[in-house]
């Protein structure tokens, strides 16, 4: 099949043979799948030649933008030199060593070890096993409950989806697995009621303290959280939330797992969400921006104090492709670009403040109940009534309408089930491109309002 095949041919074959992740196939086929054929910078092109501004960086991952020849060269050179070898049986290879060393350098102090996986889901499955193994090694096998939060996203495998707090996922396939407890999330707009955001932030944090008291500190192994929830709707916690969580964990012997799969590698305007919120995680799952999505790779950064406990005796866990040489070489080249081009500094000092200004203006739109933004993460809450924060009924339809209107007008903006529109643009987006995106978003909100009124 040549690249010039008509869109209808791709669509027909896709329909006949391709099962998509997180997709209602009847809905998909009614509308017709969009075929993406190439990309450059912050733009995608579809098979009909339409240019689309990708305000989602693919799936929150293409941090350095599309079209980086350097990453292709890194993969090619590595594949010719050593396309595959494992690190199970007392062997290693240069890309795994060099990536691990570089990660120890850019991640927060105290995280000096990298356990590679092939995805964020595998990283979080590794977290479950490593956390429980850690406490067992310390002679406390009953300290095995992990506390997570409702509406968290930690992946789609049995373990990671159980850690996550997505009710529709738990409803399919018998999740969560035992030993995982979900508490209140710090989502003020949806759940804050009459409380001021700062008060609500404290309430949400203290749900952790309550859960620990309920189960007993001697049973609680770890607390896992995204610094900012991504797939849950870019839930930026109130300023009081993380300091209070830090206080609660600081008084207790419980591990902190910061899931940095989205927040990592510059997304929040610092290298990691943990830097933004002054967290000192014991384990830090990463993926997505680790390779800017050019090849699949994830992993867990592990604190020295955990490594000391688990490094005697075998940890019976790993994957055939753990630390795949080409993926490691690409991730390393990706981080080198972030460093060399000072991309995180530019986001922090120039483009994120400008995005904040332009994004905040969207709160003036009649459909928008809240426009929030931190670093290169943003969300809009579509509402029927602004003062009461009342959403559309049934929830979800307005967001899908808005998403489809965006797609038809050359913009990828994602919708979350509650009619929350989210963005996570490539970190290389310029001020002029931020203007282009913000203008387009406003235009699409107008079209959405019109369609909703009709
Ligand atoms: C995407 C995501 C994951 C899962 O990563 P996959 O590579 O899709 O398995 C885990 N945690 C967070 C916070 C994510 O956003």
């Amino acid at each position: 099949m040549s690249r010039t095949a008509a869109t209808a041919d791709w669509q027909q074959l896709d329909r006949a043979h391709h099962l998509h992740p997180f997709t209602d196939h009847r809905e998909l086929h009614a509308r017709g799948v969009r075929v993406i054929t190439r990309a450059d910078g912050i733009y995608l092109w579809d098979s009909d030649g339409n240019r689309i501004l990708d305000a989602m960086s693919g799936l929150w991952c293409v941090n350095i933008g599309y079209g980086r020849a350097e990453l292709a060269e890194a993969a090619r050179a590595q594949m010719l030199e050593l396309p595959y070898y494992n690190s199970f049986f007392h062997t290693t290879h240069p890309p795994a060593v060099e990536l691990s060393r570089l990660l120890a350098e850019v991640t927060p102090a105290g995280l000096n070890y990298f356990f590679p996986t092939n995805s964020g889901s595998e990283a979080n499955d590794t977290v479950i096993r490593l956390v429980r193994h850690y406490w067992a090694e310390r002679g406390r096998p009953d300290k095995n409950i992990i506390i997570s939060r409702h509406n968290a996203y930690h992946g789609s495998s049995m373990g990671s989806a159980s850690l996550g707090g997505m009710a529709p996922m738990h409803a399919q396939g018998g999740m969560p697995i035992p030993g995982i407890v979900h508490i209140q999330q710090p989502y003020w707009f949806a759940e804050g009621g009459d409380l001021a955001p700062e008060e609500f932030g404290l309430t949400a944090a203290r749900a952790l303290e309550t859960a620990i008291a309920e189960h007993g500190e001697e049973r609680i192994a770890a607390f896992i959280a995204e610094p900012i929830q991504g797939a849950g709707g870019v839930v930026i916690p109130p300023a009081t939330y993380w300091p209070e969580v830090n206080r609660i964990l600081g008084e207790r012997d419980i591990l902190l797992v910061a899931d940095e799969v989205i927040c990592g590698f510059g997304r929040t305007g610092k290298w990691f969400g943990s830097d933004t919120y002054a967290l000192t995680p014991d384990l830090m799952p990463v993926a997505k921006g680790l390779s800017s999505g050019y090849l699949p790779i994830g992993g867990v950064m592990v604190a020295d104090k955990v490594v000391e406990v688990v490094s005697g005796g075998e940890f019976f866990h790993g994957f055939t492709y753990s630390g795949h040489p080409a993926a490691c070489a690409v991730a390393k080249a990706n981080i080198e670009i972030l460093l060399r081009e000072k991309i995180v500094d530019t986001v922090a000092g120039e483009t994120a403040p400008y995005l904040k200004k332009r994004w905040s203006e969207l709160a003036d739109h009649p459909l928008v109940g809240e426009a929030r933004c931190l670093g290169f993460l943003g969300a809009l809450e579509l509402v029927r009534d602004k003062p009461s924060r009342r959403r559309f009924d049934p929830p979800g339809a307005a967001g899908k309408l808005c998403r489809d209107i965006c797609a038809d007008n050359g913009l990828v903006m994602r919708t979350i089930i509650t009619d929350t529109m989210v963005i996570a643009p490539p970190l290389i987006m310029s001020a002029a491109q931020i203007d282009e995106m913000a203008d387009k978003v406003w235009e699409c909100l107008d079209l959405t309002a019109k369609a909703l009124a009709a």
Side-chain angles (χ1 to χ4, degrees):
M1 171 99 6
S2 84
R3 303 264 325 244
T4 55
T7 301
D9 291 342
W10 289 114
Q11 288 177 327
Q12 189 219 323
L13 287 173
D14 190 83
R15 180 188 181 124
H17 302 294
H18 184 190
L19 289 173
H20 294 245
F22 285 97
T23 296
D24 175 333
H25 286 80
R26 209 161 289 154
E27 222 173 72
L28 171 74
H29 298 148
R31 192 181 153 79
V33 69
R34 190 180 295 276
V35 185
I36 303 300
T37 48
R38 68 188 179 91
D40 192 35
I42 66 162
Y43 299 103
L44 307 164
W45 280 264
D46 70 16
S47 53
D48 296 327
N50 298 304
R51 192 182 82 157
I52 304 162
L53 191 161
D54 185 8
M56 276 307 295
S57 305
L59 265 181
W60 325 81
C61 57
V62 189
N63 288 12
I64 63 166
Y66 298 98
R68 296 284 193 154
E70 194 174 327
L71 267 56
E73 293 306 328
R76 176 188 149 82
Q78 185 56 48
M79 282 189 183
L80 292 173
E81 183 82 16
L82 177 73
Y84 176 78
Y85 202 69
N86 72 78
S87 39
F88 278 42
F89 309 117
H90 295 198
T91 55
T92 191
H93 49 69
V97 176
E98 288 167 7
L99 176 62
S100 301
R101 203 221 75 205
L102 190 54
L103 281 169
E105 204 175 291
V106 299
T107 54
L111 297 170
N112 288 312
Y113 295 87
F114 178 54
F115 187 99
T117 68
N118 308 291
S119 69
S121 298
E122 287 179 2
N124 280 315
D125 277 23
T126 300
V127 161
I128 297 174
R129 299 196 54 191
L130 195 50
V131 156
R132 289 179 173 167
H133 180 54
Y134 167 82
W135 287 112
E137 286 291 286
R138 280 186 57 183
R140 307 179 66 179
D142 290 338
K143 199 167 160 69
N144 55 16
I145 296 175
I146 302 176
I147 299 179
S148 178
R149 305 178 299 177
H150 295 298
N151 197 39
Y153 189 80
H154 296 298
S156 194
S157 57
M158 286 297 285
S160 62
S162 295
L163 279 181
M166 296 288 173
M169 293 176 76
H170 289 176
Q172 297 173 336
M175 288 179 282
I177 60 170
I180 293 168
V181 167
H182 297 89
I183 60 168
Q184 161 99 58
Q185 57 173 330
Y187 192 173
W188 175 80
F189 188 86
E191 299 176 4
D194 293 332
L195 295 180
E198 293 70 26
E199 271 178 276
F200 175 71
L202 290 176
T203 305
R206 285 172 192 160
L208 175 60
E209 201 161 36
T210 306
I212 296 168
E214 193 178 311
H215 296 273
E217 189 188 331
E218 71 283 358
R219 292 296 319 279
I220 306 298
F223 173 58
I224 182 169
E226 303 151 82
I228 293 172
Q229 287 153 265
V234 180
V235 179
I236 302 171
T240 48
Y241 181 77
W242 277 115
E244 185 67 358
V245 169
N246 277 339
R247 177 196 62 80
I248 293 164
L249 294 178
E251 294 168 1
R252 295 168 172 86
D253 200 6
I254 292 172
L255 299 175
L256 171 62
V257 186
D259 183 341
E260 296 267 8
V261 170
I262 284 179
C263 291
F265 304 98
R267 182 58 61 199
T268 65
K270 299 212 172 167
W271 269 85
F272 292 89
S274 293
D275 299 323
T276 294
Y277 290 114
L279 312 180
T280 46
D282 300 294
L283 295 101
M284 198 174 91
V286 293
K288 294 194 171 117
L290 168 58
S291 64
S292 284
Y294 278 64
L295 280 180
I297 182 168
V300 186
M301 292 305 296
V302 187
D304 304 356
K305 82 169 207 205
V306 175
V307 173
E308 275 161 31
V309 171
V310 300
S311 54
E314 183 169 345
F315 178 40
F316 297 100
H317 176 63
F319 307 100
T320 302
Y321 299 128
S322 294
H324 189 281
C328 287
V330 165
K332 174 172 166 272
N334 172 62
I335 294 169
E336 284 167 349
I337 287 177
L338 283 169
L339 288 166
R340 191 174 66 230
E341 298 182 5
K342 301 188 167 36
I343 289 173
V344 186
D345 295 343
T346 304
V347 168
E350 297 170 30
T351 45
Y354 189 63
L355 175 62
K356 179 146 191 114
K357 175 179 175 292
R358 290 302 321 263
W359 196 253
S360 303
E361 290 165 12
L362 296 168
D364 295 337
H365 196 279
L367 269 189
V368 176
E370 183 180 76
R372 57 178 179 266
C373 168
L374 193 152
F376 261 34
L377 283 168
L380 302 174
E381 299 283 3
L382 304 188
V383 291
R384 182 178 284 281
D385 179 58
K386 281 180 168 241
S388 67
R389 315 205 291 267
R390 189 156 70 87
R391 299 186 187 275
F392 287 96
D393 201 27
K400 277 187 184 171
L401 185 66
C402 182
R403 175 198 63 194
D404 291 345
I405 285 171
C406 289
D408 291 342
N409 287 275
L411 173 69
V412 176
M413 182 158 64
R414 177 168 164 190
T415 183
I416 308 290
I417 201 156
T418 47
D419 296 327
T420 308
M421 307 306 300
V422 298
I423 58 157
L427 305 185
I428 50 144
M429 186 181 245
S430 68
Q433 290 170 332
I434 289 171
D435 284 332
E436 183 190 341
M437 176 182 71
D439 292 348
K440 235 183 226 293
V441 170
W442 186 281
E443 194 184 306
C444 292
L445 288 169
D446 276 348
L447 291 169
T448 306
K450 230 175 260 169
L452 284 169

